[in-house]
Amino acid sequence: MPHVTGASTGVRTGFGVPGIAHPLLAPGEWGELARPGTPLHWAVLDVADGPGARPDPHCLEVAGRLRNAGVRVLGRLDSARGARARGELLDDAGRYASWYRVDGFLLDRCPAERAGLAGTGELAAALREFADDAHLVLGHGTHPHPGYAEHADQLVTFSGPWSEYRWSQAAQWTAEHPPERFCHFVHGVPRTHLDEALRIARWQGAATIWFTDRSDRGGRDDPWETLPGYWDEIVSRIGTGVSE
């Protein structure tokens, strides 16, 4: 059975931000992320579906502000479920490292099957060369083959709507790893079910979360582009520890 995590484990729940909109569109959101005391594990910088064609001064500013606040900044790389060429991904990683001095990467839409394991492992090793102590997150969005855990600091084992999350279960093999290895991204979480969602994350052993009441409107919108409507409330709950 998946393990329960509690205060006695010393594991603190915190936020992993999958990608707020460009700073010109969401300046207040980026300011909130840099606010002292925000329980933030890392935030993803997605300039233009990747690092963009040239350095963006607005993104340079927010990346510097987050680093000064002690927050890891990760560059988003879209693996397209393994369809993108390794050279393209490494070129994007190089631009992120050179322009924005990122602390690691979120390899989004990462393969989850055994067939993609070797290639992802080789890519992960190459990505770690771009930053000292690079933090690597594999964005499967589902429970992958357990071998992927050998190649990353964290795995995103759920990304989707509340209607699925509330009935989800952790894969048996995840109990062999500590909660800080796993991330859950959930959209469409109503304020009235926030406590329940937090309990599910802790029961399934995921220490990094991003919950929002925003919806993807059937895949037409990006629910991660802005902060949840209950931002102050969830910051307060996570910052003081989550009750069982």
Side-chain angles (χ1 to χ4, degrees):
M1 290 292 291
H3 44 253
V4 178
T5 63
S8 62
T9 66
V11 174
R12 276 293 188 144
T13 301
F15 301 122
V17 184
I20 296 293
H22 190 278
L24 281 177
L25 300 176
E29 281 84 348
W30 285 102
E32 282 292 315
L33 295 182
R35 188 171 65 179
T38 302
L40 200 58
H41 290 167
W42 44 261
V44 169
L45 184 66
D46 188 4
V47 180
D49 198 24
R54 60 185 60 83
D56 184 309
H58 305 286
C59 292
L60 284 167
E61 180 184 355
V62 297
R65 194 185 312 158
L66 286 172
R67 279 198 306 272
N68 289 338
V71 176
R72 283 192 183 106
V73 178
L74 307 183
R76 177 182 175 270
L77 303 171
D78 186 359
S79 170
R81 301 298 175 196
R84 282 195 71 197
R86 177 180 170 184
E88 290 182 10
L89 291 167
L90 294 179
D91 285 346
D92 281 356
R95 287 194 287 272
Y96 267 123
S98 175
W99 297 343
Y100 303 106
R101 295 171 51 206
V102 295
D103 305 296
F105 304 96
L106 167 66
L107 187 62
D108 204 12
R109 298 203 296 162
C110 184
E113 299 79 14
R114 181 192 291 269
L117 187 55
T120 301
E122 293 172 359
L123 176 60
L127 290 175
R128 291 192 186 278
E129 299 298 319
F130 284 100
D132 293 336
D133 196 26
H135 189 81
L136 186 59
V137 181
L138 299 184
H140 310 284
T142 188
H143 286 94
H145 183 280
Y148 284 93
E150 300 177 12
H151 300 300
D153 298 284
Q154 293 185 295
L155 309 179
V156 180
T157 54
F158 186 93
S159 181
W162 166 244
S163 58
E164 296 178 10
Y165 187 64
R166 66 185 309 188
W167 308 114
S168 65
Q169 295 184 351
Q172 187 75 22
W173 63 265
T174 63
E176 301 172 7
H177 301 275
E180 55 264 30
R181 300 295 307 281
F182 301 106
C183 315
H184 289 172
F185 303 154
V186 190
H187 59 78
V189 182
R191 182 188 300 268
T192 52
H193 289 279
L194 189 53
D195 282 340
E196 182 183 355
L198 292 169
R199 284 195 297 269
I200 291 171
R202 291 174 69 82
W203 171 253
Q204 295 193 13
T208 300
I209 63 166
W210 187 250
F211 294 165
T212 180
D213 51 353
R214 312 305 182 189
S215 170
D216 70 347
R217 289 171 49 84
R220 296 188 297 274
D221 290 344
D222 183 351
W224 319 126
E225 284 188 333
T226 188
L227 298 178
Y230 40 66
W231 173 246
D232 288 339
E233 181 176 346
I234 194 172
V235 166
S236 177
R237 295 189 188 194
I238 298 298
T240 57
V242 181
S243 60
E244 294 296 333

